[in-house]
mmCIF file of all heavy atoms in Angstrom:
data_model
loop_
_atom_site.group_PDB
_atom_site.id
_atom_site.type_symbol
_atom_site.label_atom_id
_atom_site.label_comp_id
_atom_site.label_asym_id
_atom_site.label_seq_id
_atom_site.Cartn_x
_atom_site.Cartn_y
_atom_site.Cartn_z
ATOM 1 N N PHE K 1 111.390 105.610 107.353
ATOM 2 C CA PHE K 1 111.474 104.888 108.625
ATOM 3 C C PHE K 1 112.535 105.538 109.525
ATOM 4 O O PHE K 1 112.303 105.768 110.716
ATOM 5 C CB PHE K 1 111.843 103.421 108.403
ATOM 6 C CG PHE K 1 110.664 102.493 108.217
ATOM 7 C CD1 PHE K 1 110.694 101.487 107.247
ATOM 8 C CD2 PHE K 1 109.538 102.590 109.028
ATOM 9 C CE1 PHE K 1 109.625 100.615 107.087
ATOM 10 C CE2 PHE K 1 108.459 101.713 108.870
ATOM 11 C CZ PHE K 1 108.508 100.733 107.898
ATOM 12 N N CYS K 2 113.700 105.824 108.943
ATOM 13 C CA CYS K 2 114.785 106.429 109.724
ATOM 14 C C CYS K 2 114.412 107.838 110.190
ATOM 15 O O CYS K 2 114.700 108.223 111.334
ATOM 16 C CB CYS K 2 116.068 106.476 108.895
ATOM 17 S SG CYS K 2 116.809 104.860 108.573
ATOM 18 N N GLU K 3 113.801 108.595 109.311
ATOM 19 C CA GLU K 3 113.367 109.950 109.660
ATOM 20 C C GLU K 3 112.378 109.920 110.821
ATOM 21 O O GLU K 3 112.487 110.699 111.775
ATOM 22 C CB GLU K 3 112.727 110.609 108.437
ATOM 23 C CG GLU K 3 112.187 112.002 108.669
ATOM 24 C CD GLU K 3 111.407 112.535 107.477
ATOM 25 O OE1 GLU K 3 111.515 111.953 106.372
ATOM 26 O OE2 GLU K 3 110.673 113.525 107.652
ATOM 27 N N ALA K 4 111.425 108.998 110.768
ATOM 28 C CA ALA K 4 110.417 108.890 111.818
ATOM 29 C C ALA K 4 111.031 108.413 113.131
ATOM 30 O O ALA K 4 110.649 108.872 114.217
ATOM 31 C CB ALA K 4 109.310 107.934 111.380
ATOM 32 N N PHE K 5 111.966 107.490 113.044
ATOM 33 C CA PHE K 5 112.677 106.979 114.214
ATOM 34 C C PHE K 5 113.377 108.131 114.936
ATOM 35 O O PHE K 5 113.234 108.307 116.151
ATOM 36 C CB PHE K 5 113.685 105.930 113.733
ATOM 37 C CG PHE K 5 114.533 105.286 114.796
ATOM 38 C CD1 PHE K 5 114.051 104.224 115.538
ATOM 39 C CD2 PHE K 5 115.840 105.710 115.006
ATOM 40 C CE1 PHE K 5 114.853 103.605 116.490
ATOM 41 C CE2 PHE K 5 116.647 105.104 115.958
ATOM 42 C CZ PHE K 5 116.150 104.045 116.696
ATOM 43 N N ARG K 6 114.123 108.922 114.181
ATOM 44 C CA ARG K 6 114.826 110.071 114.767
ATOM 45 C C ARG K 6 113.840 111.086 115.347
ATOM 46 O O ARG K 6 114.028 111.594 116.452
ATOM 47 C CB ARG K 6 115.691 110.759 113.706
ATOM 48 C CG ARG K 6 116.947 110.024 113.335
ATOM 49 C CD ARG K 6 117.845 110.891 112.450
ATOM 50 N NE ARG K 6 119.134 110.273 112.257
ATOM 51 C CZ ARG K 6 119.491 109.571 111.184
ATOM 52 N NH1 ARG K 6 118.608 109.403 110.186
ATOM 53 N NH2 ARG K 6 120.693 109.034 111.100
ATOM 54 N N GLU K 7 112.815 111.389 114.590
ATOM 55 C CA GLU K 7 111.833 112.399 114.996
ATOM 56 C C GLU K 7 111.183 112.021 116.326
ATOM 57 O O GLU K 7 111.097 112.842 117.250
ATOM 58 C CB GLU K 7 110.775 112.507 113.899
ATOM 59 C CG GLU K 7 109.640 113.462 114.162
ATOM 60 C CD GLU K 7 108.632 113.431 113.019
ATOM 61 O OE1 GLU K 7 107.848 112.461 112.940
ATOM 62 O OE2 GLU K 7 108.651 114.365 112.204
ATOM 63 N N PHE K 8 110.737 110.785 116.443
ATOM 64 C CA PHE K 8 110.060 110.323 117.651
ATOM 65 C C PHE K 8 110.978 110.418 118.867
ATOM 66 O O PHE K 8 110.574 110.890 119.939
ATOM 67 C CB PHE K 8 109.595 108.878 117.442
ATOM 68 C CG PHE K 8 108.916 108.264 118.637
ATOM 69 C CD1 PHE K 8 107.542 108.355 118.796
ATOM 70 C CD2 PHE K 8 109.651 107.574 119.599
ATOM 71 C CE1 PHE K 8 106.905 107.780 119.893
ATOM 72 C CE2 PHE K 8 109.028 107.003 120.710
ATOM 73 C CZ PHE K 8 107.658 107.103 120.848
ATOM 74 N N LEU K 9 112.214 109.959 118.714
ATOM 75 C CA LEU K 9 113.126 109.904 119.855
ATOM 76 C C LEU K 9 113.633 111.293 120.254
ATOM 77 O O LEU K 9 113.771 111.589 121.451
ATOM 78 C CB LEU K 9 114.285 108.965 119.546
ATOM 79 C CG LEU K 9 113.866 107.488 119.404
ATOM 80 C CD1 LEU K 9 115.004 106.657 118.841
ATOM 81 C CD2 LEU K 9 113.397 106.917 120.738
ATOM 82 N N ARG K 10 113.897 112.139 119.286
ATOM 83 C CA ARG K 10 114.344 113.495 119.616
ATOM 84 C C ARG K 10 113.274 114.256 120.398
ATOM 85 O O ARG K 10 113.602 115.042 121.286
ATOM 86 C CB ARG K 10 114.708 114.252 118.340
ATOM 87 C CG ARG K 10 116.062 113.846 117.765
ATOM 88 C CD ARG K 10 116.308 114.482 116.425
ATOM 89 N NE ARG K 10 117.628 114.149 115.905
ATOM 90 C CZ ARG K 10 117.957 114.175 114.622
ATOM 91 N NH1 ARG K 10 117.044 114.541 113.714
ATOM 92 N NH2 ARG K 10 119.176 113.861 114.236
ATOM 93 N N GLU K 11 112.011 114.013 120.055
ATOM 94 C CA GLU K 11 110.918 114.664 120.784
ATOM 95 C C GLU K 11 110.854 114.208 122.234
ATOM 96 O O GLU K 11 110.234 114.874 123.065
ATOM 97 C CB GLU K 11 109.584 114.369 120.090
ATOM 98 C CG GLU K 11 109.391 115.115 118.778
ATOM 99 C CD GLU K 11 108.105 114.717 118.079
ATOM 100 O OE1 GLU K 11 107.404 113.791 118.585
ATOM 101 O OE2 GLU K 11 107.794 115.324 117.033
ATOM 102 N N ARG K 12 111.524 113.088 122.537
ATOM 103 C CA ARG K 12 111.520 112.553 123.900
ATOM 104 C C ARG K 12 112.898 112.656 124.552
ATOM 105 O O ARG K 12 113.254 111.868 125.417
ATOM 106 C CB ARG K 12 111.015 111.107 123.876
ATOM 107 C CG ARG K 12 109.508 111.048 123.619
ATOM 108 C CD ARG K 12 109.065 109.728 123.059
ATOM 109 N NE ARG K 12 107.608 109.738 122.838
ATOM 110 C CZ ARG K 12 107.013 110.324 121.786
ATOM 111 N NH1 ARG K 12 107.758 110.923 120.857
ATOM 112 N NH2 ARG K 12 105.697 110.305 121.661
ATOM 113 N N GLN K 13 113.662 113.639 124.136
ATOM 114 C CA GLN K 13 114.955 113.997 124.725
ATOM 115 C C GLN K 13 116.036 112.925 124.569
ATOM 116 O O GLN K 13 116.953 112.820 125.392
ATOM 117 C CB GLN K 13 114.805 114.348 126.223
ATOM 118 C CG GLN K 13 114.087 115.664 126.504
ATOM 119 C CD GLN K 13 112.596 115.575 126.301
ATOM 120 O OE1 GLN K 13 111.940 114.708 126.875
ATOM 121 N NE2 GLN K 13 112.044 116.469 125.476
ATOM 122 N N PHE K 14 115.928 112.121 123.523
ATOM 123 C CA PHE K 14 117.019 111.204 123.192
ATOM 124 C C PHE K 14 118.049 111.944 122.344
ATOM 125 O O PHE K 14 117.704 112.791 121.512
ATOM 126 C CB PHE K 14 116.501 109.992 122.414
ATOM 127 C CG PHE K 14 115.815 108.956 123.257
ATOM 128 C CD1 PHE K 14 114.503 109.145 123.698
ATOM 129 C CD2 PHE K 14 116.470 107.791 123.625
ATOM 130 C CE1 PHE K 14 113.861 108.189 124.470
ATOM 131 C CE2 PHE K 14 115.823 106.822 124.398
ATOM 132 C CZ PHE K 14 114.520 107.024 124.823
ATOM 133 N N THR K 15 119.330 111.603 122.529
ATOM 134 C CA THR K 15 120.424 112.214 121.778
ATOM 135 C C THR K 15 121.014 111.191 120.820
ATOM 136 O O THR K 15 121.296 110.051 121.221
ATOM 137 C CB THR K 15 121.527 112.709 122.732
ATOM 138 O OG1 THR K 15 120.966 113.657 123.645
ATOM 139 C CG2 THR K 15 122.665 113.367 121.965
ATOM 140 N N GLU K 16 121.224 111.579 119.566
ATOM 141 C CA GLU K 16 121.831 110.670 118.592
ATOM 142 C C GLU K 16 123.332 110.588 118.824
ATOM 143 O O GLU K 16 124.003 111.601 119.023
ATOM 144 C CB GLU K 16 121.553 111.147 117.165
ATOM 145 C CG GLU K 16 122.067 110.197 116.102
ATOM 146 C CD GLU K 16 121.535 110.482 114.708
ATOM 147 O OE1 GLU K 16 120.906 111.540 114.513
ATOM 148 O OE2 GLU K 16 121.740 109.642 113.813
ATOM 149 N N ILE K 17 123.874 109.370 118.800
ATOM 150 C CA ILE K 17 125.309 109.158 118.979
ATOM 151 C C ILE K 17 125.867 108.395 117.776
ATOM 152 O O ILE K 17 125.112 107.857 116.956
ATOM 153 C CB ILE K 17 125.615 108.375 120.277
ATOM 154 C CG1 ILE K 17 124.953 106.987 120.257
ATOM 155 C CG2 ILE K 17 125.171 109.181 121.509
ATOM 156 C CD1 ILE K 17 125.377 106.070 121.396
ATOM 157 N N HIS K 18 127.195 108.353 117.697
ATOM 158 C CA HIS K 18 127.879 107.642 116.610
ATOM 159 C C HIS K 18 129.049 106.884 117.226
ATOM 160 O O HIS K 18 130.082 107.469 117.530
ATOM 161 C CB HIS K 18 128.363 108.623 115.541
ATOM 162 C CG HIS K 18 127.264 109.491 115.009
ATOM 163 N ND1 HIS K 18 126.345 109.050 114.082
ATOM 164 C CD2 HIS K 18 126.912 110.758 115.313
ATOM 165 C CE1 HIS K 18 125.487 110.020 113.824
ATOM 166 N NE2 HIS K 18 125.803 111.057 114.563
ATOM 167 N N SER K 19 128.870 105.601 117.408
ATOM 168 C CA SER K 19 129.872 104.791 118.106
ATOM 169 C C SER K 19 130.842 104.138 117.124
ATOM 170 O O SER K 19 130.549 103.998 115.938
ATOM 171 C CB SER K 19 129.164 103.721 118.941
ATOM 172 O OG SER K 19 128.444 102.832 118.113
ATOM 173 N N PRO K 20 132.022 103.714 117.619
ATOM 174 C CA PRO K 20 133.030 103.085 116.742
ATOM 175 C C PRO K 20 132.544 101.760 116.168
ATOM 176 O O PRO K 20 131.778 101.043 116.812
ATOM 177 C CB PRO K 20 134.211 102.848 117.688
ATOM 178 C CG PRO K 20 133.974 103.701 118.870
ATOM 179 C CD PRO K 20 132.494 103.851 118.999
ATOM 180 N N LYS K 21 133.009 101.470 114.970
ATOM 181 C CA LYS K 21 132.680 100.187 114.343
ATOM 182 C C LYS K 21 133.905 99.262 114.315
ATOM 183 O O LYS K 21 133.794 98.115 113.868
ATOM 184 C CB LYS K 21 132.151 100.398 112.923
ATOM 185 C CG LYS K 21 130.873 101.240 112.900
ATOM 186 C CD LYS K 21 129.758 100.620 113.704
ATOM 187 C CE LYS K 21 128.637 101.602 113.988
ATOM 188 N NZ LYS K 21 128.254 101.670 115.390
ATOM 189 N N ILE K 22 135.060 99.743 114.763
ATOM 190 C CA ILE K 22 136.235 98.901 114.981
ATOM 191 C C ILE K 22 136.398 98.788 116.488
ATOM 192 O O ILE K 22 136.543 99.797 117.184
ATOM 193 C CB ILE K 22 137.499 99.515 114.353
ATOM 194 C CG1 ILE K 22 137.325 99.648 112.834
ATOM 195 C CG2 ILE K 22 138.717 98.661 114.670
ATOM 196 C CD1 ILE K 22 138.469 100.357 112.152
ATOM 197 N N VAL K 23 136.331 97.558 117.005
ATOM 198 C CA VAL K 23 136.318 97.360 118.453
ATOM 199 C C VAL K 23 137.340 96.303 118.859
ATOM 200 O O VAL K 23 137.780 95.487 118.040
ATOM 201 C CB VAL K 23 134.912 96.954 118.937
ATOM 202 C CG1 VAL K 23 133.910 98.063 118.657
ATOM 203 C CG2 VAL K 23 134.457 95.653 118.278
ATOM 204 N N ALA K 24 137.707 96.335 120.153
ATOM 205 C CA ALA K 24 138.705 95.403 120.669
ATOM 206 C C ALA K 24 138.090 94.100 121.147
ATOM 207 O O ALA K 24 138.759 93.065 121.202
ATOM 208 C CB ALA K 24 139.480 96.059 121.813
ATOM 209 N N THR K 25 136.806 94.140 121.529
ATOM 210 C CA THR K 25 136.114 92.931 121.989
ATOM 211 C C THR K 25 134.715 92.904 121.395
ATOM 212 O O THR K 25 134.154 93.946 121.053
ATOM 213 C CB THR K 25 135.995 92.895 123.527
ATOM 214 O OG1 THR K 25 135.326 94.075 123.967
ATOM 215 C CG2 THR K 25 137.347 92.795 124.186
ATOM 216 N N GLY K 26 134.132 91.715 121.326
ATOM 217 C CA GLY K 26 132.771 91.580 120.826
ATOM 218 C C GLY K 26 131.769 91.724 121.952
ATOM 219 O O GLY K 26 132.044 91.358 123.096
ATOM 220 N N THR K 27 130.608 92.243 121.631
ATOM 221 C CA THR K 27 129.561 92.382 122.649
ATOM 222 C C THR K 27 128.963 91.036 123.014
ATOM 223 O O THR K 27 128.527 90.838 124.139
ATOM 224 C CB THR K 27 128.439 93.311 122.158
ATOM 225 O OG1 THR K 27 127.943 92.804 120.915
ATOM 226 C CG2 THR K 27 128.939 94.718 121.960
ATOM 227 N N GLU K 28 128.934 90.134 122.059
ATOM 228 C CA GLU K 28 128.318 88.828 122.294
ATOM 229 C C GLU K 28 129.295 87.685 122.111
ATOM 230 O O GLU K 28 128.993 86.543 122.430
ATOM 231 C CB GLU K 28 127.097 88.660 121.382
ATOM 232 C CG GLU K 28 126.019 89.693 121.661
ATOM 233 C CD GLU K 28 124.917 89.692 120.625
ATOM 234 O OE1 GLU K 28 124.666 88.638 120.037
ATOM 235 O OE2 GLU K 28 124.293 90.745 120.419
ATOM 236 N N GLY K 29 130.496 87.993 121.579
ATOM 237 C CA GLY K 29 131.525 86.981 121.439
ATOM 238 C C GLY K 29 131.160 85.902 120.439
ATOM 239 O O GLY K 29 130.311 86.073 119.576
ATOM 240 N N GLY K 30 131.834 84.760 120.574
ATOM 241 C CA GLY K 30 131.507 83.624 119.728
ATOM 242 C C GLY K 30 132.033 83.764 118.311
ATOM 243 O O GLY K 30 132.891 84.593 118.000
ATOM 244 N N ALA K 31 131.476 82.936 117.431
ATOM 245 C CA ALA K 31 131.948 82.867 116.054
ATOM 246 C C ALA K 31 131.350 83.945 115.162
ATOM 247 O O ALA K 31 131.630 83.983 113.974
ATOM 248 C CB ALA K 31 131.633 81.495 115.474
ATOM 249 N N GLN K 32 130.520 84.825 115.734
ATOM 250 C CA GLN K 32 129.857 85.829 114.910
ATOM 251 C C GLN K 32 130.689 87.096 114.723
ATOM 252 O O GLN K 32 130.189 88.107 114.255
ATOM 253 C CB GLN K 32 128.503 86.195 115.517
ATOM 254 C CG GLN K 32 127.503 85.059 115.491
ATOM 255 C CD GLN K 32 126.141 85.487 115.995
ATOM 256 O OE1 GLN K 32 125.970 86.548 116.570
ATOM 257 N NE2 GLN K 32 125.146 84.656 115.771
ATOM 258 N N LEU K 33 131.960 87.041 115.080
ATOM 259 C CA LEU K 33 132.831 88.217 114.987
ATOM 260 C C LEU K 33 133.663 88.199 113.713
ATOM 261 O O LEU K 33 134.267 87.184 113.365
ATOM 262 C CB LEU K 33 133.772 88.267 116.190
ATOM 263 C CG LEU K 33 133.156 88.707 117.522
ATOM 264 C CD1 LEU K 33 134.090 88.342 118.672
ATOM 265 C CD2 LEU K 33 132.886 90.199 117.523
ATOM 266 N N PHE K 34 133.718 89.316 113.021
ATOM 267 C CA PHE K 34 134.643 89.493 111.900
ATOM 268 C C PHE K 34 135.962 90.044 112.454
ATOM 269 O O PHE K 34 136.001 91.137 113.020
ATOM 270 C CB PHE K 34 134.080 90.481 110.877
ATOM 271 C CG PHE K 34 133.016 89.915 109.996
ATOM 272 C CD1 PHE K 34 131.703 90.336 110.112
ATOM 273 C CD2 PHE K 34 133.321 88.960 109.026
ATOM 274 C CE1 PHE K 34 130.705 89.824 109.295
ATOM 275 C CE2 PHE K 34 132.332 88.445 108.202
ATOM 276 C CZ PHE K 34 131.028 88.869 108.337
ATOM 277 N N LYS K 35 137.031 89.273 112.299
ATOM 278 C CA LYS K 35 138.337 89.714 112.785
ATOM 279 C C LYS K 35 139.038 90.553 111.720
ATOM 280 O O LYS K 35 138.849 90.359 110.522
ATOM 281 C CB LYS K 35 139.212 88.511 113.131
ATOM 282 C CG LYS K 35 138.699 87.688 114.297
ATOM 283 C CD LYS K 35 139.638 86.534 114.599
ATOM 284 C CE LYS K 35 139.116 85.694 115.755
ATOM 285 N NZ LYS K 35 140.018 84.554 116.059
ATOM 286 N N LEU K 36 139.874 91.489 112.179
ATOM 287 C CA LEU K 36 140.698 92.255 111.248
ATOM 288 C C LEU K 36 142.019 92.612 111.920
ATOM 289 O O LEU K 36 142.152 92.594 113.148
ATOM 290 C CB LEU K 36 139.970 93.507 110.760
ATOM 291 C CG LEU K 36 139.422 94.504 111.780
ATOM 292 C CD1 LEU K 36 140.469 95.554 112.116
ATOM 293 C CD2 LEU K 36 138.174 95.177 111.238
ATOM 294 N N ASN K 37 143.006 92.912 111.089
ATOM 295 C CA ASN K 37 144.335 93.300 111.569
ATOM 296 C C ASN K 37 144.355 94.806 111.772
ATOM 297 O O ASN K 37 144.218 95.568 110.829
ATOM 298 C CB ASN K 37 145.395 92.878 110.531
ATOM 299 C CG ASN K 37 146.811 93.140 111.016
ATOM 300 O OD1 ASN K 37 147.077 94.123 111.708
ATOM 301 N ND2 ASN K 37 147.722 92.270 110.643
ATOM 302 N N TYR K 38 144.527 95.225 113.011
ATOM 303 C CA TYR K 38 144.536 96.656 113.332
ATOM 304 C C TYR K 38 145.950 97.034 113.767
ATOM 305 O O TYR K 38 146.302 96.974 114.939
ATOM 306 C CB TYR K 38 143.526 96.951 114.438
ATOM 307 C CG TYR K 38 143.278 98.427 114.673
ATOM 308 C CD1 TYR K 38 142.548 99.181 113.761
ATOM 309 C CD2 TYR K 38 143.775 99.060 115.803
ATOM 310 C CE1 TYR K 38 142.307 100.522 113.970
ATOM 311 C CE2 TYR K 38 143.538 100.409 116.029
ATOM 312 C CZ TYR K 38 142.806 101.131 115.102
ATOM 313 O OH TYR K 38 142.574 102.478 115.322
ATOM 314 N N PHE K 39 146.785 97.369 112.779
ATOM 315 C CA PHE K 39 148.181 97.747 113.033
ATOM 316 C C PHE K 39 148.907 96.678 113.858
ATOM 317 O O PHE K 39 149.595 96.966 114.843
ATOM 318 C CB PHE K 39 148.270 99.107 113.747
ATOM 319 C CG PHE K 39 147.620 100.223 112.980
ATOM 320 C CD1 PHE K 39 146.397 100.727 113.376
ATOM 321 C CD2 PHE K 39 148.230 100.751 111.844
ATOM 322 C CE1 PHE K 39 145.787 101.750 112.661
ATOM 323 C CE2 PHE K 39 147.631 101.768 111.117
ATOM 324 C CZ PHE K 39 146.413 102.269 111.527
ATOM 325 N N GLY K 40 148.720 95.425 113.451
ATOM 326 C CA GLY K 40 149.401 94.330 114.106
ATOM 327 C C GLY K 40 148.670 93.756 115.300
ATOM 328 O O GLY K 40 149.102 92.753 115.881
ATOM 329 N N ARG K 41 147.565 94.374 115.688
ATOM 330 C CA ARG K 41 146.764 93.867 116.797
ATOM 331 C C ARG K 41 145.453 93.301 116.266
ATOM 332 O O ARG K 41 144.972 93.719 115.227
ATOM 333 C CB ARG K 41 146.471 94.973 117.814
ATOM 334 C CG ARG K 41 147.690 95.422 118.611
ATOM 335 C CD ARG K 41 147.345 96.623 119.477
ATOM 336 N NE ARG K 41 147.148 97.819 118.658
ATOM 337 C CZ ARG K 41 146.621 98.947 119.124
ATOM 338 N NH1 ARG K 41 146.181 99.012 120.360
ATOM 339 N NH2 ARG K 41 146.499 99.998 118.330
ATOM 340 N N GLU K 42 144.874 92.373 117.016
ATOM 341 C CA GLU K 42 143.592 91.804 116.624
ATOM 342 C C GLU K 42 142.459 92.754 117.005
ATOM 343 O O GLU K 42 142.403 93.259 118.126
ATOM 344 C CB GLU K 42 143.387 90.459 117.304
ATOM 345 C CG GLU K 42 142.139 89.722 116.843
ATOM 346 C CD GLU K 42 142.015 88.344 117.474
ATOM 347 O OE1 GLU K 42 141.750 88.278 118.687
ATOM 348 O OE2 GLU K 42 142.176 87.348 116.745
ATOM 349 N N ALA K 43 141.584 92.997 116.063
ATOM 350 C CA ALA K 43 140.402 93.821 116.315
ATOM 351 C C ALA K 43 139.217 93.164 115.620
ATOM 352 O O ALA K 43 139.357 92.146 114.924
ATOM 353 C CB ALA K 43 140.617 95.245 115.806
ATOM 354 N N PHE K 44 138.039 93.753 115.813
ATOM 355 C CA PHE K 44 136.812 93.160 115.269
ATOM 356 C C PHE K 44 135.901 94.259 114.737
ATOM 357 O O PHE K 44 135.976 95.411 115.174
ATOM 358 C CB PHE K 44 136.058 92.379 116.354
ATOM 359 C CG PHE K 44 136.892 91.365 117.069
ATOM 360 C CD1 PHE K 44 137.542 91.696 118.250
ATOM 361 C CD2 PHE K 44 137.054 90.082 116.566
ATOM 362 C CE1 PHE K 44 138.319 90.772 118.925
ATOM 363 C CE2 PHE K 44 137.827 89.145 117.230
ATOM 364 C CZ PHE K 44 138.464 89.486 118.408
ATOM 365 N N LEU K 45 135.017 93.880 113.801
ATOM 366 C CA LEU K 45 133.932 94.764 113.403
ATOM 367 C C LEU K 45 132.809 94.626 114.428
ATOM 368 O O LEU K 45 132.517 93.522 114.889
ATOM 369 C CB LEU K 45 133.414 94.391 112.012
ATOM 370 C CG LEU K 45 134.382 94.627 110.848
ATOM 371 C CD1 LEU K 45 133.746 94.158 109.537
ATOM 372 C CD2 LEU K 45 134.773 96.087 110.744
ATOM 373 N N ALA K 46 132.197 95.750 114.779
ATOM 374 C CA ALA K 46 131.216 95.765 115.872
ATOM 375 C C ALA K 46 129.968 94.954 115.523
ATOM 376 O O ALA K 46 129.366 95.144 114.465
ATOM 377 C CB ALA K 46 130.827 97.198 116.204
ATOM 378 N N GLN K 47 129.582 94.057 116.439
ATOM 379 C CA GLN K 47 128.334 93.304 116.299
ATOM 380 C C GLN K 47 127.127 94.183 116.596
ATOM 381 O O GLN K 47 126.013 93.908 116.148
ATOM 382 C CB GLN K 47 128.324 92.128 117.265
ATOM 383 C CG GLN K 47 129.336 91.043 116.965
ATOM 384 C CD GLN K 47 129.390 90.038 118.107
ATOM 385 O OE1 GLN K 47 129.618 90.413 119.246
ATOM 386 N NE2 GLN K 47 129.185 88.775 117.803
#
């Protein structure tokens, strides 16, 4: 499935990216955020 996903999109000029999984804010907010201590600051795992 992953191989086919990549293959299809690359053929259509899509570029694969790798975004951070430790973030300062949630994309959707609310109670669905996992909080963590990031060197004394509040951070979250990416939704």
Side-chain angles (χ1 to χ4, degrees):
F1 270 138
C2 291
E3 178 187 345
F5 180 83
R6 286 189 171 99
E7 178 182 76
F8 178 91
L9 293 169
R10 283 173 177 157
E11 287 176 356
R12 287 157 180 79
Q13 289 75 54
F14 282 78
T15 301
E16 184 167 10
I17 60 171
H18 305 282
S19 63
K21 299 301 165 231
I22 299 175
V23 297
T25 57
T27 56
E28 298 170 29
Q32 293 185 348
L33 285 164
F34 283 111
K35 294 181 181 180
L36 55 90
N37 185 325
Y38 190 73
F39 302 105
R41 290 174 289 168
E42 186 176 70
F44 307 93
L45 293 178
Q47 293 171 304

